Amino acid sequence: MPPDLLELSAFVSVARAGGFRDGARLSGVSASGLSQAVRRLEARLGVRLLNRTTRSVAMTEAGERLFERLVPALNEVETALDVVNAFRDRPAGTLRLNVPSHVSRLILPAIVSPFLKAFPDIRMEVTVEDGFVDVLAAGCDAGIRYDERLEQDMIAVPIGPRMQRVATAASPAYLAVRGRPMHPQDLLSHACLRGRFAGGATPVWEFERAGEVVRVDPIGLLTVRQTAALDLAVDAAVAGLGVIQLFEEWLRPGLDSGALEPVLEPWWQSFQGPFLYYPGRRLMPAPLRAFVDFIRI
């Protein structure tokens, strides 16, 4: 007897979450129910799909192969079932988004709450990842990224502010003691609060004025992982430990309150805001269609 959709969905939930407890939260099925479904699936197929220990769950090679093929197939099944939404008074279902962490913090809060209030039959799942992701392979309906990270065959819809800036700032106390930088190169003699990517690289600071671009690699008095611990760096800047460079929206509360002062503002770089992107080769699920229409208003 071939496996049923519940067993296949259970396997995908556990594999995607990396465990039965997290899979239960993702799927709304109990951990014991997922475990039983996966065991039935393995028994039907006659092969182990997951290696289980007391601390972790990992896919076997067979499980990885099955997972790669199942995720897009189950997405297509869900899309096919979504056709019935056209016969409902209002759209229903689950909208799954993959977004970078600064988007989840700076842009989505102003959008998600009013959207879910306007469409009470829609549920939303947001996965936060800072690298570029194949949204279909990740089991998501759409992602949010900036223009340089988009694939050419994706449909892209603007979301959030259309122009953003990278701001540089320091506390009044720090500037009173160390002086105010007048040119980006002056930062080489200042204490700076840096961010580091997950892969280990520490990005240089970029500035631009009247077509002149200046890149500096200042000393990092404090270095934190990008986005994961940036609040710690902001707190350190407010406490007077150094100069920080970050999205203007992230620093705006401190700038508005006076806890931080702009540094080298004529040199702040501007860039285009993010886009919601999704593949255009498939029927758009009703929750995604509703979300796209909502952000276009």
Side-chain angles (χ1 to χ4, degrees):
M1 181 181 297
D4 60 33
L5 283 176
L6 292 178
E7 293 170 354
L8 297 173
S9 296
F11 164 70
V12 168
S13 295
V14 175
R16 180 180 290 144
F20 288 94
R21 287 187 178 180
D22 289 339
R25 285 192 288 269
L26 180 68
S27 64
V29 179
S30 69
S32 62
L34 290 178
S35 179
Q36 293 171 8
V38 171
R39 289 186 184 280
R40 288 196 303 269
L41 177 61
E42 289 177 326
R44 291 181 196 276
L45 298 178
V47 63
R48 179 179 290 275
L49 301 173
L50 299 173
N51 287 322
R52 307 158 177 83
T53 69
T54 55
R55 295 187 176 181
S56 65
V57 172
M59 284 184 284
T60 64
E61 182 179 357
E64 290 177 352
R65 296 287 183 88
L66 180 61
F67 182 83
E68 291 173 359
R69 301 294 295 270
L70 264 184
V71 170
L74 290 177
N75 285 341
E76 289 301 321
V77 170
E78 186 172 336
T79 299
L81 294 175
D82 185 66
V83 170
V84 301
N85 260 314
F87 298 91
R88 295 172 56 91
D89 293 333
R90 55 191 185 188
T94 301
L95 173 63
R96 299 178 179 89
L97 300 179
N98 187 291
V99 308
S101 48
H102 62 268
V103 167
S104 71
R105 176 190 173 105
L106 302 176
I107 293 175
L108 285 187
I111 298 173
V112 169
S113 293
F115 172 73
L116 292 178
K117 289 179 180 178
F119 298 95
D121 293 333
I122 292 178
R123 296 183 301 151
M124 183 178 288
E125 295 178 5
V126 178
T127 300
V128 177
E129 293 183 281
D130 288 313
F132 182 78
V133 175
D134 182 332
V135 290
L136 288 183
C140 297
D141 301 299
I144 298 177
R145 292 297 187 275
Y146 287 83
D147 186 49
E148 69 274 8
R149 306 299 299 275
L150 298 179
E151 295 184 6
Q152 293 183 352
D153 61 346
M154 292 287 174
I155 296 176
V157 179
I159 185 171
R162 294 328 307 141
M163 293 301 298
Q164 294 182 273
R165 294 194 297 177
V166 175
T168 310
S171 73
Y174 175 88
L175 296 174
V177 174
R178 299 291 298 270
R180 182 179 295 275
M182 303 306 294
H183 187 275
Q185 293 291 348
D186 295 341
L187 292 171
L188 296 176
S189 61
H190 280 263
C192 295
L193 309 169
R194 308 288 301 275
R196 177 176 292 145
F197 292 130
T202 302
V204 300
W205 287 5
E206 289 195 3
F207 299 85
E208 184 175 1
R209 184 178 68 175
E212 179 186 3
V213 177
V214 177
R215 298 176 178 87
V216 296
D217 192 9
I219 296 173
L221 178 66
L222 171 68
T223 302
V224 301
R225 180 169 171 176
Q226 288 277 44
T227 65
L230 285 178
D231 283 336
L232 176 62
V234 174
D235 290 343
V238 171
L241 292 184
V243 182
I244 189 170
Q245 186 180 82
L246 202 54
F247 282 94
E248 181 180 1
E249 295 94 333
W250 209 308
L251 298 180
R252 180 49 55 192
L255 293 169
D256 289 344
S257 69
L260 295 173
E261 291 186 7
V263 171
L264 298 169
E265 188 168 6
W267 288 89
W268 290 2
Q269 278 192 324
S270 299
F271 55 95
Q272 193 173 39
F275 293 84
L276 176 80
Y277 72 97
Y278 54 92
R281 299 187 303 271
R282 56 185 295 218
L283 181 67
M284 188 187 300
L288 177 58
R289 187 184 311 112
F291 190 71
V292 170
D293 291 342
F294 185 83
I295 65 175
R296 279 175 167 163
I297 297 176

